[in-house]
Amino acid sequence: MADKTGKVVTIRLEQPADPLEEARQLAAYERAQARAAARAAEQADAAREESLRANAELFRILNEEDYRELSSTPRRRARELSLLILFQVVVGGCDWDTARLVLEDTNVSGENAVFSLSLARRAQEDSSRADEMMASCAREWDVKRFAQVDRLILWLAASELLRDTESQASIIINEAVELAKKFGTEESAAFINGMLDNIYNKYIKKKD
């Protein structure tokens, strides 16, 4: 065969592919890919577990004083831990898996552990609604400028008020005030009590 210049060019034809060899090569490639993916998954799992352990240890160190002061009453201790866990997730950037290790580290288990984690998760889920209620009851203040601990305590209590029966309101508000006394500033308890009272009367209390 000649090209444009008239020079003869020899074209070599490819040998026909062997279907069996192609199949063997494809199977070998897929096995290699599967092994690589399995190794990567193992490494990712190991790194995640190490990260969780590091987060839990950091949480323990940062909250060592609070741990010593946790209530001996199981239910209140669970509420206190829900605040500490929520703080670490929202402010500290930890993931929710860290909460499991924290609960184990503080000897909270069973239904109290479920209650604590559920309370924290629901508070985050209801946070936008809680902020709306807080903003309407504190028009002269920007909710985002509230002290972080105060705001999270309000998230927890507002979420409970929205989800629980009206008969539990006084207990929920009282528990929030106790959290404020322990973890907030000198002004936190009165501030939170007033805010929750307004929220309850405006949004929760059944009108006659």
Side-chain angles (χ1 to χ4, degrees), residues 35-46:
R35 287 194 296 270
R39 284 196 298 271
E42 289 174 0
Q43 292 170 352
D45 288 343

Side-chain angles (χ1 to χ4, degrees), residues 178-199:
E178 292 301 316
L179 285 176
K181 289 178 180 177
K182 178 172 286 190
F183 298 103
T185 65
E186 291 182 1
E187 297 81 20
S188 293
F191 170 70
I192 284 172
N193 187 60
M195 284 290 297
L196 291 177
D197 187 59
N198 286 336
I199 288 173

